[in-house]
Amino acid sequence: MSLRSKALVLVEVLLRVPPLFVVDEFLKISLGLPVSTGEEVSLLSTVTADHVDVSDSDTNYYDANFYNAFVLTLLKFFVCCLGCMGALCIFVLYTKHLIIVYLFLMSLGIVFVSYWTNVSAIKQIQALTLAVTSSHPSSILEDFLNLNVKNLLDLEGPGILVIQNFAIQFILALLFRNVHLGPRNATLEKLIPMSFMAPSFLAMLPVPPNLLHHSPVFAALLPLFLVNYVLWASGYEVIQVMYGGYQHGRLFVSHNGLSALVETEWMRLNVPCVLRVFWVMRVAEHAILLLMDNYDEDAEEGLKVSTLLAVQSLASMAKSLLVTGCETITAVLGMTSVISFFCHYIGNFFQWILLTDEEEDKSIGTVSAILFYILALQTGLTSLNPEKRFIRLCRNFCLLFTALLHFLHNIVNPMLMSLSASHNPSTHRHVRALGVCAFLIIFPISLLVYLWSQHSISTWLLAVSAFSIEVIVKVIVSLMIYSLFLFDAYRSTFWEQLDDYVYYIRAFGNTIEFCFGIFLFFNGAWILLFESGGAIRAAMMCIHAYFNIWCEARAGWSVFMKRRTAVNKINSLREASADQLNRLDDVCAICYQEMHSAKITRCNHFFHGVCLRKWLYVQDRCPLCHDILYKIDNDPSKDNSEAGNEENSNNQNLLLEEEPDLLLNDGVR
């Protein structure tokens, strides 16, 4: 991407940030709804407990006040909702329409700035004129005509205010001429600067004070007329744009689906980048305000800040920034986008360590963002007071980091299996993968030691401990399987028990994970019932119960039954004797390894027992002749001809396509 393209992307992102600030401001005031506090509740309970007698007239008075407050609150809520909807509509506009909206808002803002500047200048000029007239009877016009520079530039006189207002109004007039969207008539273009500067001209003339006082209103009429003309003239075009957007969305959904529309708009609006920029700007604004407050306090007290106090001040400021950085839903979304950004590059860092260029960790940022946002919603992060919000935020970060360790294990686990099963001789790749595994064991242990030494037992600590122990168990299981495959690589003979050992180790790891899943379900149920309930937490518990408990149990039981059925079928077959194997003098047609022990099918074909068992996971027919393995057949055994070898190769390809995970245990030999 060229520098110009990057600059255009940055400008487009910056154009979409202001609507988020508007929504954020509305959310800061809770959309105009009253926020109950503990003091109000205690006051209400006190009044109720005292049984205060209220007369009928007072009751009617309170009822009238209640209805007035209710109507006012409802009106504020309606206005705030309209403001949020308008800001979001501006946010989703195309860039050309977004620029038009900003030009219109800029022209309207310039008119109001010009009006208030004129009002302020006229008030000060009138006040100073009255004070100066008593001592210097000459007016501003006379000083100007006589070129009395001393009086005109007197800082305590009205002349300098007139000159300043002239300069300000001239600059505002030039800006308005360039940004307004009204008709570009030559006469109007000349009248605009005169309209802006008219109050300054009148301030120089001996006009009645009442006329001078209302001159800013008359000066704003022409610019306001142009702004209103643009608004009314563009009404039909705005309706057309809205209807065209609706038609485009409806047709897109009918052809491609709602998810495709959301994904397309998400990429067009560049939502993650916009949210990151919004959050960084929001935090930077708050940081500047904090630094200014601290500087003012230190200047007033005249303190010399020591290094320790500076560190404490920085820590306090960081805490305040984190607390205010998640006080609204939009702020939480911005923080989520920043966390997703960092998690993505953490995944890239570990991928660089492992020397892999696969894109399996591409979703690590997305999954981390979803997890953090769900944690923020189900813990009510935005509704907590600052101190509790900071504690909850730190706990959510701990949970997120333990989940990140699981994602890292998902990256390194296939790497370990690939290195061991493929007999990769590259030592540094093995060392890198084992180093990541060591980190995934040492860091959770260190985290658990620190947390249990600093915090008392709680449901949150139990959840973090369960996630940490689970990742340790998963890494140990991966290392054990890696060791078995590595040991098998240096064996000269076929190791039939390898598949059984791998199955037992994985079954042990899956059982531990399943037990932790049940434990986390009951831990979450305790939180839901006795600590902090909520619909989001209940929904997440249902999802956890279905996917992590029910589906895992069903899948594990299905694998166990398939394996047991295959073992029973294999045990029903005859075992080949040493004489039969010597006379055959052939390899297993599934794995192409020598046969020191074998099973004989009813069609008199020889296979390794473990290879045939894995074949039975796919189908019940013989890999060579496609005959049913358990049908009683009196036909003589078929010779292993060239056609049979070709058929054997085709069946092996079928096995590789249908069950790649089952053949991974034997590796590539």
Side-chain angles (χ1 to χ4, degrees):
M1 184 181 292
S2 63
L3 184 61
R4 181 175 180 274
S5 300
K6 292 181 179 179
L8 291 176
V9 170
L10 179 60
V11 170
E12 187 172 354
V13 168
L14 292 175
L15 288 175
R16 300 192 186 278
V17 170
L20 295 182
F21 275 101
V22 174
V23 175
D24 189 63
E25 290 299 323
F26 283 120
L27 292 177
K28 280 183 180 180
I29 59 174
S30 302
L31 296 177
L33 296 176
V35 180
S36 60
T37 60
E39 295 178 359
E40 294 174 353
V41 174
S42 61
L43 179 61
L44 179 62
S45 61
T46 304
V47 173
T48 306
D50 290 342
H51 301 286
V52 178
D53 294 331
V54 182
S55 63
D56 293 339
S57 60
D58 292 336
T59 302
N60 295 332
Y61 175 74
Y62 288 132
D63 289 342
N65 283 344
F66 171 76
Y67 287 125
N68 291 335
F70 176 76
V71 171
L72 182 61
T73 302
L74 191 63
L75 181 62
K76 289 195 294 184
F77 176 73
F78 181 71
V79 171
C80 290
C81 289
L82 284 180
C84 289
M85 291 177 61
L88 292 177
C89 290
I90 293 175
F91 178 79
V92 300
L93 289 175
Y94 285 93
T95 306
K96 60 179 182 179
H97 297 133
L98 195 62
I99 293 174
I100 293 174
V101 170
Y102 280 135
L103 289 176
F104 174 78
L105 294 177
M106 285 176 61
S107 61
L108 185 62
I110 289 172
V111 173
F112 280 102
V113 170
S114 172
Y115 171 76
W116 287 113
T117 305
N118 277 326
V119 168
S120 177
I122 293 300
K123 285 182 179 179
Q124 295 182 29
I125 289 171
Q126 286 182 329
L128 290 175
T129 302
L130 292 175
V132 172
T133 304
S134 58
S135 57
H136 301 282
S138 61
S139 64
I140 302 175
L141 181 60
E142 292 177 354
D143 291 335
F144 181 76
L145 294 176
N146 295 327
L147 298 178
N148 193 346
V149 180
K150 181 180 179 181
N151 289 342
L152 289 175
L153 299 180
D154 186 9
L155 297 179
E156 297 181 356
I160 191 67
L161 291 177
V162 173
I163 296 173
Q164 289 178 356
N165 197 47
F166 261 123
I168 293 173
Q169 296 300 325
F170 181 74
I171 294 172
L172 292 175
L174 290 180
L175 290 175
F176 185 82
R177 284 181 58 180
N178 289 310
V179 302
H180 83 90
L181 302 173
R184 298 288 177 174
N185 186 274
T187 305
L188 288 176
E189 295 293 313
K190 295 177 181 178
L191 289 176
I192 287 174
M194 297 176 61
S195 175
F196 274 80
M197 294 185 291
S200 300
F201 282 114
L202 292 176
M204 298 172 57
L205 302 175
V207 296
N210 196 25
L211 177 61
L212 186 61
H213 179 73
H214 292 91
S215 60
V217 177
F218 297 108
L221 290 179
L222 178 60
L224 279 178
F225 169 76
L226 293 176
V227 171
N228 287 327
Y229 175 81
V230 171
L231 184 62
W232 289 105
S234 305
Y236 180 71
E237 185 178 353
V238 171
I239 295 174
Q240 278 188 325
V241 170
M242 294 174 62
Y243 182 73
Y246 167 74
Q247 289 290 344
H248 168 74
R250 187 175 63 84
L251 292 176
F252 196 95
V253 170
S254 63
H255 288 90
N256 304 296
L258 181 61
S259 60
L261 176 65
V262 173
E263 184 179 358
T264 303
E265 292 300 305
W266 185 274
M267 296 176 63
R268 179 181 70 84
L269 299 174
N270 202 358
V271 175
C273 190
V274 174
L275 289 173
R276 281 195 294 271
V277 173
F278 159 73
W279 192 80
V280 170
M281 293 177 66
R282 191 179 190 275
V283 171
E285 176 192 3
H286 187 66
I288 292 172
L289 294 176
L290 287 178
L291 289 174
M292 291 175 62
D293 292 340
N294 293 336
Y295 177 79
D296 292 339
E297 292 177 1
D298 294 340
E300 290 177 1
E301 298 177 3
L303 296 177
K304 293 184 178 179
V305 182
S306 63
T307 305
L308 181 60
L309 290 177
V311 172
Q312 291 177 350
S313 178
L314 288 176
S316 177
M317 187 174 73
K319 177 181 176 180
S320 179
L321 293 177
L322 287 175
V323 169
T324 56
C326 57
E327 62 181 348
T328 62
I329 295 297
T330 48
V332 171
L333 284 171
M335 181 179 283
T336 300
S337 182
V338 173
I339 290 172
S340 172
F341 179 80
F342 282 109
C343 289
H344 173 71
Y345 280 99
I346 288 174
N348 285 347
F349 172 72
F350 279 93
Q351 201 174 43
W352 172 76
I353 291 177
L354 296 172
L355 298 178
T356 175
D357 55 354
E358 299 178 2
E359 297 185 357
E360 294 180 357
D361 69 319
K362 193 172 183 180
S363 63
I364 186 171
T366 304
V367 176
S368 300
I370 294 173
L371 178 60
F372 177 80
Y373 192 68
I374 291 175
L375 284 173
L377 290 181
Q378 74 176 9
T379 55
L381 196 62
T382 57
S383 61
L384 300 175
N385 61 55
E387 192 62 33
K388 291 184 178 180
R389 189 187 305 157
F390 179 72
I391 295 173
R392 175 51 60 186
L393 185 63
C394 293
R395 292 180 176 182
N396 287 354
F397 278 139
C398 284
L399 290 170
L400 177 65
F401 204 84
T402 53
L404 189 62
L405 295 178
H406 285 265
F407 298 147
L408 296 179
H409 171 263
N410 292 338
I411 296 175
V412 73
N413 181 57
M415 186 73 179
L416 279 175
M417 299 301 104
S418 174
L419 289 173
S420 59
S422 61
H423 309 164
N424 195 312
S426 180
T427 306
H428 71 281
R429 292 179 68 95
H430 288 265
V431 172
R432 288 171 179 263
L434 292 175
V436 174
C437 290
F439 168 78
L440 293 178
I441 293 176
I442 295 173
F443 184 82
I445 293 175
S446 305
L447 180 64
L448 288 178
V449 171
Y450 172 77
L451 292 178
W452 280 93
S453 63
Q454 298 293 326
H455 301 275
S456 59
I457 187 170
S458 62
T459 51
W460 160 78
L461 187 58
L462 291 175
V464 174
S465 302
F467 280 121
S468 300
I469 296 173
E470 186 177 352
V471 75
I472 293 172
V473 171
K474 290 169 71 173
V475 173
I476 292 175
V477 168
S478 298
L479 289 176
M480 292 176 68
I481 297 175
Y482 165 81
S483 302
L484 289 177
F485 284 160
L486 210 59
F487 178 73
D488 179 62
Y490 292 97
R491 287 175 57 93
S492 58
T493 59
F494 181 72
W495 190 10
E496 290 195 22
Q497 290 78 18
L498 175 63
D499 180 72
D500 294 328
Y501 293 151
V502 171
Y503 173 78
Y504 295 146
I505 293 172
R506 283 182 173 166
F508 168 76
N510 293 335
T511 304
I512 296 297
E513 291 181 36
F514 182 74
C515 293
F516 275 119
I518 295 176
F519 170 77
L520 290 172
F521 176 79
F522 284 109
N523 188 65
W526 180 274
I527 298 174
L528 179 67
L529 296 176
F530 301 106
E531 293 185 7
S532 61
I536 298 177
R537 187 181 296 276
M540 294 307 300
M541 282 191 60
C542 294
I543 294 174
H544 171 76
Y546 178 75
F547 287 102
N548 294 340
I549 297 179
W550 168 250
C551 291
E552 291 294 329
R554 185 175 59 181
W557 180 255
S558 175
V559 171
F560 172 74
M561 292 303 296
K562 284 182 179 180
R563 185 178 182 86
R564 191 177 70 170
T565 302
V567 169
N568 291 335
K569 291 178 180 179
I570 293 299
N571 291 336
S572 66
L573 299 177
R574 292 177 296 156
E575 185 77 28
S577 63
D579 293 339
Q580 289 175 316
L581 292 175
N582 290 332
R583 287 198 303 270
L584 179 67
D585 192 21
D586 201 355
V587 296
C588 174
I590 296 177
C591 67
Y592 296 122
Q593 297 294 308
E594 294 183 0
M595 291 186 291
H596 300 282
S597 63
K599 291 288 185 178
I600 306 176
T601 64
R602 297 187 182 278
C603 51
N604 289 329
H605 290 134
F606 292 71
F607 304 97
H608 284 133
V610 64
C611 297
L612 193 59
R613 182 175 61 196
K614 287 187 285 187
W615 176 265
L616 290 175
Y617 294 158
V618 182
Q619 56 180 320
D620 286 336
R621 293 183 176 274
C622 176
L624 292 178
C625 64
H626 286 193
D627 192 9
I628 297 177
L629 291 175
Y630 302 101
K631 182 182 69 174
I632 299 177
D633 194 356
N634 295 326
D635 293 340
S637 61
K638 300 179 181 179
D639 296 331
N640 192 6
S641 61
E642 293 180 0
N645 289 331
E646 183 178 358
E647 189 176 9
N648 170 25
S649 177
N650 293 334
N651 280 280
Q652 186 184 19
N653 292 333
L654 175 65
L655 179 60
L656 286 170
E657 291 174 359
E658 295 188 6
E659 290 291 331
D661 293 335
L662 295 173
L663 292 183
L664 183 62
N665 296 336
D666 288 334
V668 180
R669 299 180 182 275

